[in-house]
Each structure stands twice: as C-alpha cells, then as structure tokens.
C-alpha cells in the first residue's frame, strides 16, 4: 500500500488489517510511516513512489519477508494548489510534478511489484483514481464536476484510468485483477479537509476491490454504488 501513513490510505490499511490481512504500510517518510504502522500494529516499508530505487528496495524487502504480494493499493497521490488551475495558465512543470506521483509513480511501483504479484495465487491491484478523472463527467455541463477544471490533477487521474485498463488487459488471462477506485470527496489533507465524506468512507471501495473474488471485475472504474463513467 502506498501513501498509507495518513488519509484514505491509512484507512484502507486499517480496514484490511481488521480483516486479518497483513497491511504493509508503504510511506516515503520513515518517521510518519513507522508511526502509522505502529498505530495499526502492521509492518512498515519505506516507499517513495517517485523514486524507482525505493520501489525496487521495497519489492526486495517484500520478497524476502513474504515471497509474494496479494494486494497492491496504489493510493499515494498529490495535488498542487493553484489559485487558477485552468490549463491555459498551468505550466508544464505543474503537470510534470503531479504526474510524477499520480501517474509515473503508479507505473514505477506496479512494475517493481509485478514479479511478486505474479507469485500470489490471485493478486489484486487497486489504483486510487478520482471522479475528477472521468472524461464523461468533466465534459457534462450538468455534472457537479463541470466547474472543477483542475487540469493537472484531473488529467493525471484520467491517465491513471487508462493505465488501469492497460494493465487489466495485459493481465486479462491471469488471475490478477486491476481496477480503479473513486473514493468520493473525502476530508483529508489533500483538500484541506473540505471533503464531505470521511477517509474511512473513501477507503471502502478500495477495500472491496482489494478483496474481490474470482468473478469480480477487472479493468473497471468503481465507486460505492457502482461504475463511474469513463
Ligand atoms: P492525503 O491525506 O494527502 O494522503 C496522500 C498520501 O500520499 C500521503 O500518505 C502522502 O505521504 C502520500 N504520498 C504523496 N506523495 C508520495 C510519494 N512520492 N511517495 C509515497 N507516498 C506519497 O490524501 P488522500 O485524500 O488520502 O489521497 C489518497 C488518494 O486518494 C490520492 O491518490 C488522491 O488523489 C485520491 N483521492 C482523494 C480524494 C479526496 O477527496 N480526498 C478524492 C478522490 C481521489 P506524505 O504524508 O509523506 O505526504
């Protein structure tokens, strides 16, 4: 689990641990990560998703400790606060910064973990997307998301959605399932706690997708009450 030291990631780890699943707390900051792991009584591994060496080191540690990985939750994500998030005034550097974590970080971690995921009997990969990544909702003037034109963040989650589909297709003939989760608008540090849902509520869909049985979907974009339009 990436970005598990706080927010929705912490709640996903807590809920998985409640089910008796070992939830390894991946976090880039050792102090924050270890503190969260201690609170949950779960193991910690250092993992900065923007650093391929850190992802490889985490994979090596997981291999030595467990030999396989049943669940990968790519939860770590950032946004960059801008007074004006419109694309015409958003520099490529801002896109790059957000994509580094939300897009490239997911690829880095997933590829580092792939040999371990293949070792598990039926691994599940959950990518924390957002309703703001939905192209269909973004372009619908009647959608509540129409006004929220955060070009860098929103497009990073659209890219993540396609990456989810790409991995699901590659792994179609294996027991591994890959899905994108929309947690809804949850009060966390990401949005200065303006969300109207709790982090625990946001975590529920990820937990469901992390524990899907064999007839569950792959390559889907899901929230609590069903699919999100792409
Ligand atoms: P949050 O409280 O800000 O937590 C984000 C987590 O990601 C933190 O643990 C953070 O670690 C970690 N992180 C950031 N960059 C990282 C990196 N390079 N390597 C490893 N970890 C990194 O935000 P959240 O709301 O729980 O967000 C979790 C996920 O849900 C994100 O992908 C977000 O886009 C998505 N999401 C959130 C909402 C919402 O309403 N909150 C809605 C839709 C989607 P540090 O503590 O070290 O910064």
């Amino acid at each position: 689990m990436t970005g598990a030291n706080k927010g929705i990631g912490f709640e996903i780890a807590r809920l998985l641990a409640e089910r008796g699943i070992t939830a390894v707390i991946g976090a880039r900051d050792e102090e924050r990560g270890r503190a969260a792991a201690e609170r949950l009584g779960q193991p910690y591994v250092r993992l900065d998703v923007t650093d391929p060496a850190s992802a490889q080191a985490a994979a090596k540690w997981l291999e030595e400790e467990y030999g396989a990985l049943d669940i990968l939750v790519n939860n770590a994500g950032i946004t960059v606060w801008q007074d004006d998030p419109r694309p015409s005034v958003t520099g490529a550097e801002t896109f790059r910064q957000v994509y580094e974590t939300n897009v490239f970080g997911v690829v880095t971690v997933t590829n580092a973990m792939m040999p371990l995921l293949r070792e598990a009997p039926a691994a599940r990969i959950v990518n924390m997307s957002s309703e703001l990544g939905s192209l269909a909702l973004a372009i619908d003037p009647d959608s509540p998301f129409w006004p929220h034109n955060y070009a860098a963040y929103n497009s990073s989650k659209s890219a993540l959605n396609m990456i989810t589909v790409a991995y699901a297709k590659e792994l179609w003939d294996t027991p591994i399932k890959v899905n994108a989760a929309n947690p809804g608008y949850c009060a966390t540090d990401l949005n200065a706690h303006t969300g109207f849902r709790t982090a625990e509520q946001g975590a529920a869909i990820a937990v469901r997708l992390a524990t899907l049985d064999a007839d569950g979907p792959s390559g889907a974009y899901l929230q609590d009450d069903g699919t999100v339009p792409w």
Side-chain angles (χ1 to χ4, degrees):
M1 161 107 40
T2 68
N5 56 292
K6 67 177 183 182
I8 297 170
F10 180 85
E11 289 300 316
I12 298 168
R14 189 177 65 76
L15 293 170
L16 288 173
E18 259 179 27
R19 291 173 169 232
I21 294 168
T22 302
V24 177
I25 304 301
R28 58 179 163 176
D29 181 87
E30 178 146 5
E31 206 176 305
R32 289 197 292 272
R34 283 202 188 282
E38 250 169 55
R39 275 174 68 196
L40 295 174
Q42 297 297 314
Y44 163 75
V45 69
R46 189 178 170 276
L47 182 47
D48 180 338
V49 304
T50 64
D51 175 5
S54 145
Q56 286 300 337
K60 187 164 178 283
W61 180 81
L62 286 166
E63 186 184 8
E64 286 164 5
E65 286 295 309
Y66 306 105
L69 183 61
D70 293 298
I71 297 168
L72 170 63
V73 183
N74 287 307
N75 165 79
I78 61 161
T79 190
V80 172
W81 284 102
Q82 298 165 269
D83 290 335
D84 186 347
R86 287 175 304 161
S88 60
V89 294
T90 303
E93 189 42 50
T94 301
F95 280 84
R96 232 174 253 124
Q97 197 185 336
V98 174
Y99 280 42
E100 205 58 60
T101 302
N102 296 8
V103 182
F104 310 141
V106 173
V107 174
T108 298
V109 173
T110 304
N111 289 354
M113 300 301 163
M114 193 55 75
L116 289 171
L117 292 161
R118 288 187 188 274
E119 283 299 322
R124 303 291 180 247
I125 302 173
V126 183
N127 293 333
M128 283 308 268
S129 183
S130 167
E131 53 221 350
L132 293 172
S134 164
L135 298 173
L137 294 174
I139 199 61
D140 177 357
D142 296 327
S143 149
F145 307 107
W146 172 270
H148 304 295
N149 199 14
Y150 308 116
Y153 180 82
N154 296 3
S155 65
S156 78
K157 294 299 186 180
S158 305
L160 179 60
N161 287 349
M162 182 55 93
I163 285 166
T164 303
V165 166
Y167 277 106
K169 286 170 66 174
E170 179 182 344
L171 297 165
W172 203 254
D173 296 324
T174 77
I176 303 176
K177 294 184 187 297
V178 192
N179 291 293
N182 169 35
Y185 190 33
C186 306
T188 67
D189 287 350
L190 189 85
N191 50 36
H193 294 263
T194 55
F196 49 77
R197 283 160 65 81
T198 64
E200 180 176 5
Q201 286 172 323
I205 183 64
V207 171
R208 202 170 101 213
L209 295 176
T211 55
L212 282 175
D213 56 28
D215 56 8
S218 190
Y221 181 21
L222 292 155
Q223 59 190 13
D224 283 348
D225 61 359
T227 58
V228 187
W230 294 108

